[in-house]
Amino acid sequence: MATMKLGSKPEIFVLQDLTWRCTTELESDVVVEVGEMSFYLHKFPLLSRSGVLQRMISEYQAPADGGGMCTLQLDDIPGGAKAFELAAKFCYDVKIELNALNVVCLRCAAEYLRMTDDYAEGNLITQAECFLVDVLANWKDSIKALETCEGVLPTAEDLHLVSRCITALASKACGSDAAAPVVRNASVDKDALWNGIRSGDTTSSAAAAAAAAGMDWWYEDVSFLSLPMFKRLIQAMEAKGMRDESIAGAIMFYAGRFLPGLKRNTSFSNALASYGADGSGGAGGGMSSRNITPRAASVSAPSEGDQRYFLEEIVALLPTKKGVASTKFLLGMLRTAMLLHASPLCRENLERRIGAQLEDASLDDLLVPNLGYHVETLYDIDCVQRILDYFMSSTDGIGTGYTSPALAEEGGGSLGIPQGATPSSSLSPITMVAKLMDGFLAEVAPDTNLKLPKFQALAAVVPDYARPVDDGIYRAIDIYLKSHPWLSESEREQLCRLLNCQKLSLEACTHAAQNERLPLRVVVQVLFFEQLRLRTSIAGWFFVSDNAAGGDGARPHAGGAIVPKGTAAIAGCPQADADSDVEGDAPDGKETITDVKARVSDLEKECKSMKQEIRRLGKPRRSWSLLTRKCGFGAKVQQAQTAMSGK
């Protein structure tokens, strides 16, 4: 911390109770009262330095009885008794030390007392101004000086001390931000536990990215400022061109310290205790509840109205750019806004922001407790549906990953996944949201108060083509049917219309075929499509086998289809190219027959494994025989074995 020493004489002031006395040979002839503190001083040192004290002493009229000393009242001096003590010592040329914590108050007190160079060369105003230049050249000292401005408003505003501190801080932070690299895709720690659900810290991806790049070094320092000062500092940084990511990171850090509700496992009282753990008090006296800072939170807990005002101001202060504030942080703010009954405009703002980047949300953060006056369900389904509607309306097909059905068919494979890319790294936003909503539906499905129309409405918002596989929605429907056994057959069928039986995996089909909760019509559809899938798969294998062993021209297939020789006939089979290569290289077709034998053996093993799995799940033996006969699988295998033995 920068310091400046003034004066040359030793200490001559002595404090007794609430009275400062000057221990000199001369008896005091003037008393200055500042609040509850009294200063017994001498007129001459004061007259030679202060224009205000000179005027007050000259205008003082002694009582009619002629008794008592000259008494002056200075209750409204900026900085109070502490600032006047330093000014009085300066008048007596007693050694004092200026630092970042007292220079602002002393500068304001000197202005109030009119301690200019007109009365003495190198007076207190000049000395304080010279030292302020050194203070504002250092980040830490500038922060401390800005904090002390809180106690001497509006004098500090009139002297432009606040704006000077803010400008100095903004310039230093922006200079560092411009030199720091941008880090993207930072991971979010998820190790906290709330209500039995894995929950992450309120640290956002933007804040984590800033930390990795060394951009967050100033976040903690500015988090101790009051809300008005913090807002002015952020606005000054925006005006100087600071990146939205850095601004959002500072705002999220600031909100996380002041709003304990952002952390689900932290109560407000615990948060206040942590704020006061460092033993630091407020920056200055006279602050209103709306100016309270996290450092002063241990002194007086802000009311619900103050917290609501704080949250609404923070939401309005966040940059509008998508992605700079993490979805986790925004959902935490939304939960807190509901708890504090924030304005509808504030909540709508948060819901729209969340909807614009819903693909980045996690399931546990999306489980927003229902805090309405008429609580029906455990979680706020209507809020999630509004967020989902905002997401669907914000996607435009250009740069958002919103893939239309036509584009999905042209690209082939899973929806939104380019050729050769891995699903985990290339999922489109709408596919990620579809998976997220399937998980959400499964979490809320056990709620017996969740009405069928509300469940259907939420599930129907996501289009069918957004789900590469329907296992997630099937699981949610099954949980809902299990928790609502009173549904009629028509309601069950209506609910199952959300399900595309053609997009169920083998495990889901096996489960659905034995699921007594599903309508019979749905079970029949599952069996039909699974049979069709097995027939198509087996036929594809034997198309390859028959064409590989048949020679030139065309020959009838065992199933009755005429399959011409060549790769065009088997283009739909993933093994077509490999089989063609084997056939071209093998002498007399020996390697081709060996390959077919191996494939038949693999099919037999796979069918045996499927049979054991169905037995384990309780499927009767007779049903397996019936399924294989319907699929034509047994006949195909027998024909293949006969053909190979003949060769």
Side-chain angles (χ1 to χ4, degrees), residues 20 52 96 100 167 279 281 286 289 314 343 473 476 488 491 527 537 541 560 574 640 646:
W20 280 99
V52 170
I96 61 174
T167 301
S289 58
I314 288 295
S343 65
I473 188 66
S488 64
E491 289 176 328
L527 291 173
S537 177
W541 284 101

Side-chain angles (χ1 to χ4, degrees), residues 228 281 356 381 444 540 552 621:
I381 310 299
V444 301
D552 295 335
R621 184 183 184 87

Side-chain angles (χ1 to χ4, degrees), residues 513-527:
Q514 305 172 85
N515 195 342
E516 298 178 354
R517 292 182 288 271
L518 293 178
L520 181 60
R521 183 175 181 179
V522 177
V523 176
V524 172
Q525 286 182 357
V526 171
L527 291 173

Side-chain angles (χ1 to χ4, degrees), residues 73-125:
Q73 296 286 339
L74 295 179
D75 292 332
D76 54 348
I77 183 174
K82 185 64 178 177
F84 182 78
E85 175 196 343
L86 294 175
K89 290 182 179 180
F90 178 80
C91 293
Y92 280 84
D93 197 29
V94 174
K95 294 179 181 179
I96 61 174
E97 182 179 272
L98 299 186
N99 55 49
L101 295 176
N102 62 22
V103 65
V104 172
C105 295
L106 192 57
R107 172 65 181 88
C108 294
E111 186 70 25
Y112 175 86
L113 296 171
R114 287 174 53 196
M115 301 178 69
T116 65
D117 287 355
D118 296 337
Y119 298 92
E121 185 177 356
N123 212 344
L124 186 55
I125 290 179

Side-chain angles (χ1 to χ4, degrees), residues 322 351-352 354-359 386-395 400 402 429-431 433-434:
K322 175 185 174 182
E351 289 173 358
R352 287 186 180 275
I354 296 167
Q357 54 193 63
L358 184 58
E359 68 273 12
R386 289 192 299 270
I387 292 173
L388 185 58
D389 290 336
Y390 290 138
F391 169 80
M392 297 302 297
S393 63
S394 67
T395 51
T400 59
Y402 190 101
I430 194 170
T431 304
V433 169

